[in-house]
Amino acid sequence: MNRFREEIEEEEVGPEPELKAAPKKPKTAEEKMDSNSFISKLFNDGLVSKEAATDALPYLCFLAFLGMVYIANSHFAVNNVRRIDKLNKEVKELRWEYKSLKAELMFKSKLTEVAKKVDTLGIKELIEPPKKIIVKSDEY
């Protein structure tokens, strides 16, 4: 058995005391008013007047429009990147298919392979070189 564990168990004689939270004081009407009055102070007490807010409205609308354009541009860029990746994968697959078909065609067009395929039709490979036919102009 672990001797350090025995020492810890010996020290724990009684139950641990529970911690109690301090009672909360209810908010007074002034404190509630202060928390809600920040926005009203902002517009009513002169920090931002109604005239200043209406004057800044076109600028805020322009900023909102720029934000929407920025978000739309990022979505368009992400879609383009996804489409480019998809097309790159498709090009790679088509390139692999092209190379395999080309290798297969080169193999099948060898003289020995063609001779094997044509042998079933009864056509034999020429042993002597072909003869050249010469037609004289006065004969024809």
Side-chain angles (χ1 to χ4, degrees), residues 18-24:
E18 292 184 23
L19 298 176
K20 294 182 181 179
K24 294 183 180 179

Short mmCIF file of all heavy atoms in Angstrom, two decimals, residues 18-24:
data_model
loop_
_atom_site.label_atom_id
_atom_site.label_comp_id
_atom_site.label_asym_id
_atom_site.label_seq_id
_atom_site.Cartn_x
_atom_site.Cartn_y
_atom_site.Cartn_z
N GLU A 18 -18.30 23.39 4.53
CA GLU A 18 -18.90 23.89 3.30
C GLU A 18 -18.79 25.39 3.25
O GLU A 18 -18.95 26.08 4.26
CB GLU A 18 -20.38 23.49 3.23
CG GLU A 18 -20.58 22.00 3.06
CD GLU A 18 -22.04 21.67 2.91
OE1 GLU A 18 -22.82 22.56 2.50
OE2 GLU A 18 -22.40 20.53 3.18
N LEU A 19 -18.51 25.89 2.07
CA LEU A 19 -18.43 27.34 1.88
C LEU A 19 -19.80 27.86 1.50
O LEU A 19 -20.45 27.31 0.62
CB LEU A 19 -17.41 27.67 0.78
CG LEU A 19 -15.96 27.25 1.04
CD1 LEU A 19 -15.12 27.55 -0.19
CD2 LEU A 19 -15.42 27.98 2.24
N LYS A 20 -20.20 28.92 2.16
CA LYS A 20 -21.51 29.51 1.88
C LYS A 20 -21.31 30.84 1.18
O LYS A 20 -20.42 31.61 1.55
CB LYS A 20 -22.29 29.71 3.17
CG LYS A 20 -22.66 28.42 3.85
CD LYS A 20 -23.47 28.65 5.10
CE LYS A 20 -23.81 27.34 5.78
NZ LYS A 20 -24.58 27.56 7.01
N ALA A 21 -22.12 31.08 0.16
CA ALA A 21 -22.03 32.34 -0.58
C ALA A 21 -22.67 33.44 0.24
O ALA A 21 -23.63 33.23 0.98
CB ALA A 21 -22.74 32.20 -1.92
N ALA A 22 -22.09 34.64 0.10
CA ALA A 22 -22.63 35.79 0.82
C ALA A 22 -23.96 36.17 0.18
O ALA A 22 -24.11 36.09 -1.04
CB ALA A 22 -21.67 36.96 0.74
N PRO A 23 -24.93 36.55 0.96
CA PRO A 23 -26.23 36.93 0.39
C PRO A 23 -26.09 38.19 -0.47
O PRO A 23 -25.35 39.11 -0.14
CB PRO A 23 -27.11 37.17 1.61
CG PRO A 23 -26.16 37.43 2.72
CD PRO A 23 -24.90 36.68 2.41
N LYS A 24 -26.79 38.18 -1.60
CA LYS A 24 -26.73 39.33 -2.52
C LYS A 24 -27.71 40.39 -2.05
O LYS A 24 -28.81 40.08 -1.61
CB LYS A 24 -27.09 38.89 -3.93
CG LYS A 24 -26.08 37.95 -4.53
CD LYS A 24 -26.47 37.61 -5.96
CE LYS A 24 -25.46 36.68 -6.57
NZ LYS A 24 -25.83 36.32 -7.94
#
